Amino acid sequence: MKVLIIGGGAREHALAWAVARSGRVSQVCVAPGNGGTAMMGGKVENVSIKATDTDALVRFADEKDIDLTVVGPEQPLEAGIVDLFRNSGKKVVGPVKNAARLETSKVFAKDFMKRYGIPTAAYNVFSDYTSAKTFLDGTTVFPQVIKASGLAAGKGVIVAESRDEAMQAIEDLFKKRIFGEAANEVVIESFLKGEEASVFVLTDGSVYRFFQPSQDHKRIGEGDTGKNTGGMGAYAPAPLVSEEVLKKVEERIVVPALEGMRKEGTPYTGFLYIGLMVDEGEPSVVEFNVRLGDPEAQVVLPLLRGDVVDALEASLNGSLATVNFEAQDRAAATVVLASKGYPDGYETGKAITIRPQLEELDDVMLFHAGTSFEDGRLTTSGGRVLSVTALGLTLRESIDLAYNAVDYVDFEGVYYRRDIGVKALS
Ligand code: AMP
Ligand code: GLY
């Protein structure tokens, strides 16, 4: 069968890697892919269509007789790519546009959680500066968390430590319009304390299967300091999400969320990302995303024991309950290599060298993000450049293997955090 993967980050490289391992797959197309998917060779090839060009993608899938499509990022989901593929009779993994509102509208997501009693931070919604200011004038408790309702490339959340910061944030959102229409509506919610984790399920709308719980490292600096990024590393399983916590996540979040979406006539299908805050064993939802996380995908996908294509198909044909979706009894860690300056300005076009010995390391996978491969040259083309994943018998071992593998890769100005997963070891 032929599989199309939409997106061009390390998450999509990991998807392509996992899908290509399936004996049933003869061809994997990645649109647009990156340098890593370009270099995979064999059955994997890049297709130069942007992830947001949904019309061109459905045309391509028709012409090429693609059997199964997997959508990586949120933008095409917001644009309704799943509706489009389904209307053309094509199999696709992801939520329809209206179900994708769980991520694309924070107002929808918060109101939805309230309707179904799903634990999340208390909140108010504002659609103009004056009413937000009046609210903040009457608020004594800080931090407050201020969020653009719409998609803002992961940057639309401000944790305001003081009234001044909060005022600045609503001015940036409503007056300076730094996120444009994404901040036509703004959520102001209470600050949740605790530790964050990411729990993903694959679902057909009713049946759901859990991936291993994982943890991202969002800040650029060691010890979780400095600016927010797209994610600097991840590991799984995350001990923070014990069996007991996972049970609560299932009963209080997953079951009511899927039931609620069905009730509202928009059954949720595909990957659901539950961004959790866990405080003294009590989980609540920080955010829903309607896709796998990046860099978390780079650890949860390699940990699957079975054939990922079987599972993806099972989520479309009613057999998800019985498909093998077990995780290996191992741990995984991934270290993101970024360009100097990220998440602010950075240079691109730097030559990347990968020592050939890396290929020989067992249980190490090099997933590319911002790379391009042209005329036999591999260069940097983004802020997050590579994601080095390793599997080990223990978390400690996977972390050591990943950092050992990092030494085999180099480019000018490479930056990475040295403390990925360390939090979970103590
Ligand atoms: P989001 O895009 O909603 O996940 O927010 C980005 C990041 O902001 C989260 O990963 C958290 O670190 C932080 N954050 C968001 N909402 C809250 C909250 N209510 N309490 C504490 N931290 C939050
Ligand atoms: N790892 C955070 C995200 O994918 O949104």
Side-chain angles (χ1 to χ4, degrees):
M1 63 190 284
K2 297 182 194 166
V3 180
L4 170 63
I5 291 164
I6 295 173
R11 167 183 53 209
E12 288 76 23
H13 188 177
L15 279 165
W17 171 86
V19 164
R21 284 156 66 94
S22 169
R24 300 171 47 215
V25 170
S26 56
Q27 198 178 1
V28 185
C29 300
V30 194
N34 57 36
T37 49
M39 285 167 71
M40 282 174 86
K43 40 180 146 168
V44 183
E45 62 181 75
N46 283 355
V47 180
S48 126
I49 304 175
K50 279 203 255 167
T52 45
D53 194 349
T54 52
D55 289 329
L57 288 165
V58 80
R59 262 197 318 272
F60 172 83
D62 266 331
E63 281 160 18
K64 278 274 175 171
D65 272 327
I66 296 288
D67 299 292
L68 176 68
T69 298
V70 188
V71 187
E74 64 275 20
Q75 295 84 359
L77 295 167
E78 180 179 46
I81 194 168
V82 170
D83 312 58
L84 205 60
F85 270 68
R86 283 196 193 160
N87 291 340
S88 322
K90 304 219 75 79
K91 283 199 220 166
V92 59
V93 177
V96 294
K97 183 183 169 82
N98 270 338
R101 284 181 300 168
L102 281 178
E103 173 168 2
T104 61
S105 167
K106 291 198 193 281
V107 171
F108 173 83
K110 295 296 290 191
D111 290 347
F112 175 84
M113 286 189 264
K114 194 169 175 183
R115 283 199 289 283
Y116 296 98
I118 295 170
T120 189
Y123 70 104
N124 285 285
V125 177
F126 301 94
S127 43
D128 65 274
Y129 175 80
T130 311
S131 56
K133 180 172 181 301
T134 306
F135 171 79
L136 290 173
D137 282 336
T139 301
T140 51
V141 182
F142 288 90
Q144 290 282 325
V145 185
I146 300 176
K147 304 183 170 185
S149 180
L151 292 183
K155 300 192 179 95
V157 174
I158 300 111
V159 179
E161 303 283 344
S162 64
R163 187 188 313 275
D164 283 353
E165 277 183 44
M167 291 295 181
Q168 184 64 52
I170 58 167
E171 184 161 333
D172 289 346
L173 296 176
F174 282 123
K175 292 195 162 166
K176 296 194 185 138
R177 313 279 303 160
I178 61 169
F179 297 120
E181 304 218 324
N184 283 352
E185 290 185 299
V186 169
V187 172
I188 303 186
E189 65 180 40
S190 55
F191 180 79
L192 297 167
K193 60 185 176 57
E195 202 179 323
E196 287 180 72
S198 306
V199 169
F200 310 147
V201 294
L202 174 64
T203 178
D204 62 10
S206 304
V207 178
Y208 49 88
R209 301 295 296 272
F210 284 100
F211 286 89
Q212 285 287 43
S214 58
Q215 199 169 39
D216 186 6
H217 297 62
K218 292 200 187 211
R219 303 299 193 96
I220 188 73
E222 275 141 35
D224 297 327
T225 54
K227 292 204 167 165
N228 255 317
T229 70
M232 295 302 295
Y235 65 89
L240 174 67
V241 185
S242 61
E243 250 174 68
E244 208 186 335
V245 171
L246 195 62
K247 196 89 208 134
K248 292 177 186 169
V249 171
E250 181 170 12
E251 287 168 1
R252 298 176 192 173
I253 300 168
V254 177
V255 169
L258 297 182
E259 240 173 56
M261 292 302 277
R262 285 201 304 277
K263 234 191 219 158
E264 301 195 1
T266 50
Y268 187 91
T269 54
F271 301 113
L272 180 62
Y273 172 136
I274 303 151
L276 289 175
M277 190 68 83
V278 183
D279 187 31
E280 294 178 4
E282 297 300 315
S284 50
V285 177
V286 173
E287 62 171 341
F288 285 123
N289 292 318
V290 295
R291 49 176 174 81
L292 291 176
D294 183 340
E296 297 98 316
Q298 295 94 285
V299 290
V300 300
L301 289 167
L303 280 175
L304 290 179
R305 205 184 273 281
D307 183 325
V308 76
V309 175
D310 289 344
L312 295 171
E313 278 203 314
S315 78
L316 299 171
N317 68 17
S319 60
L320 190 56
T322 51
V323 78
N324 176 8
F325 205 69
E326 301 307 309
Q328 302 177 42
D329 197 11
R330 295 203 283 175
T334 197
V335 178
V336 170
L337 308 188
S339 303
K340 185 175 129 200
Y342 174 81
D344 297 321
Y346 51 82
E347 291 176 14
T348 58
K350 308 288 183 197
I352 301 170
T353 52
I354 301 170
R355 303 223 315 259
Q357 294 93 318
L358 186 77
E359 289 277 316
E360 287 150 35
L361 296 180
D362 286 336
D363 297 321
V364 169
M365 284 73 73
L366 182 63
F367 297 124
H368 294 223
T371 73
S372 75
F373 184 63
E374 268 167 50
D375 305 324
R377 266 189 91 226
L378 183 68
T379 56
T380 67
S381 61
R384 290 192 295 171
V385 176
L386 295 159
S387 187
V388 185
T389 296
L391 302 180
L393 287 175
T394 60
L395 181 59
R396 169 93 262 170
E397 191 178 282
S398 68
I399 293 169
D400 290 345
L401 281 169
Y403 279 107
N404 176 50
V406 165
D407 289 338
Y408 291 74
V409 185
D410 198 25
F411 55 88
E412 191 191 313
V414 58
Y415 168 81
Y416 57 91
R417 277 180 60 165
R418 318 233 164 201
D419 64 344
I420 299 305
V422 167
K423 223 176 356 190
L425 296 174
S426 52

